[in-house]
Structure formats: structure tokens, C-alpha cells
Amino acid sequence: MQSSKDSGSIVAESAMIIALITLLCGTILQLGVIIHTRNTMIDAASAGARHAALADRALADGKQRATQLLTSSIPNASTAYVTVNRETSGELITVTIDHQIPLLGFITGPIPLSATAHAYDLTP
């Protein structure tokens, strides 16, 4: 038998549990968005470096390829900064993408995130 002191306690307990579960699910989803953004940046940097290392391509082509892949894969990627460099030896091409970690959905925050990829240019 339920006493008068316990009436309504299930409503309060349910509200607290539902809020905790919602917060936990939201945190897991946001972690997935952050990992997706990081993996997309790594993939775009790698593809840009490989594209710039082709025999009939220039460094600007690699930058364009990395930017294109990045902006077509994640929202708000237009704020990302893509740099392409050729090492002094002339064989190694480096693509670096600087962006911010998404804090709420894909809205970026002040925490920097960087991805770098390399490719060898073996053309004479």
C-alpha cells in the first residue's frame, strides 16, 4: 500500500532519469559528430595530398580537392583553413587542415582541430 508521503514520487524520479538519459544520449551523439569531423578532415587532407602529387597536377589542385571534399562532407566547413606545402627536398607534399571542434551539432567552438597528411611526389 502506498503512503501519502510517497504519492507523486514516481513522477519526479522519472523526470530525473529521463533528463539524465537524454543528456547521456546527446553527449554520445555529439562525440560521434566530433569523430566524424576529425575523420573527414583526415580523409580530405590525404586526398588533397595524393591529388597534388599526381604528375599533371599542381599544389593548388590539391588544395582545391581537399577544400571540395571537406565542404561537401561536413556543414560549416567553409571556415576551415587549408594549406598545401612542398618540402625543401621537393618530394614530400604536406596538406594541413585547421578547423574547430563542433560543440553543439555542427556549430563550431573555440577549440582548434588540425589534420595533416603527406604524399610523395616521385615525378621528375
Side-chain angles (χ1 to χ4, degrees), residues 18-54:
I18 289 172
L20 185 63
I21 289 173
T22 303
L23 182 65
L24 181 66
C25 290
T27 303
I28 291 170
L29 285 173
Q30 188 60 39
L31 182 63
V33 168
I34 291 170
I35 290 171
H36 169 71
T37 301
R38 180 183 160 271
N39 289 344
T40 301
M41 288 173 58
I42 291 169
D43 183 53
S46 298
R50 286 190 305 269
H51 194 73
L54 294 175

Side-chain angles (χ1 to χ4, degrees), residues 99-101 103 107-113:
H99 195 42
Q100 286 86 24
I101 289 180
L103 294 180
I107 300 172
T108 58
I111 303 169
L113 182 63

